Amino acid sequence: MPLQLLLHLDLHGRSAATQARRAARAHLAGTEANDDERPPPLALDTALLLISELVTNAVRHTSGGCMLEVCLVSDGIDIEVTDTSDAEPETSRPDRRGEGGWGWHLVNRLGTDVGIRHHAAGGKTIHVRVPC
């Protein structure tokens, strides 16, 4: 059952991933959560990395920005990124020179319950849980 700790952001442009990380960090580690509800540092760092990857890809590969939802649940952090594209993320060979290709691998390796929901009106939502 979700705790009452939900973040909802509409994001656009080149600074979207930075905005998403800052807001998620403040929200998840902030004073609105008591000590028992705050995620462990490793889970928080992992969630911020996956948020950054998903938001960056949504802004880079779609038109219209994206929506981020983050919810602290009893056993983890649920992350959902909704964008305007019907195309699913593609697994590509990571570029060892730092030119990309790591994001979807990271999401699938570090997260659980990875899923993609397509919407009748167009677009999709990618869901991933970071276990605590």
Side-chain angles (χ1 to χ4, degrees), residues 20-105:
R21 280 191 311 274
R22 284 183 185 154
R25 178 184 297 283
H27 188 73
L28 292 169
T31 57
E32 66 272 350
N34 67 43
D35 287 340
D36 293 336
E37 294 176 337
R38 287 191 183 123
L42 180 58
L44 177 61
D45 289 346
T46 301
L48 295 175
L49 174 63
L50 298 186
I51 287 168
S52 184
E53 290 295 335
L54 290 170
V55 168
T56 296
N57 286 340
V59 171
R60 181 179 294 159
H61 298 293
T62 69
S63 62
C66 66
M67 179 179 63
L68 169 68
E69 290 189 345
V70 179
C71 186
L72 185 60
V73 295
S74 61
D75 60 344
I77 302 166
D78 280 346
I79 301 164
E80 291 194 342
V81 175
T82 302
D83 64 44
T84 58
S85 172
D86 293 327
E88 294 194 9
E90 294 181 13
T91 302
S92 59
R93 186 174 197 168
D95 186 321
R96 298 202 184 270
R97 296 169 294 171
E99 298 297 319
W102 295 96
W104 194 235
H105 292 286

Side-chain angles (χ1 to χ4, degrees), residues 50 53-54 102-112 114 128:
L50 298 186
E53 290 295 335
L54 290 170
W102 295 96
W104 194 235
H105 292 286
L106 288 171
V107 168
N108 284 283
R109 291 271 181 155
L110 300 177
T112 62
V114 177
V128 63

Side-chain angles (χ1 to χ4, degrees), residues 108-128:
N108 284 283
R109 291 271 181 155
L110 300 177
T112 62
D113 301 330
V114 177
I116 301 170
R117 290 188 320 270
H118 291 274
H119 305 287
K124 67 181 172 302
T125 298
I126 296 177
H127 172 269
V128 63

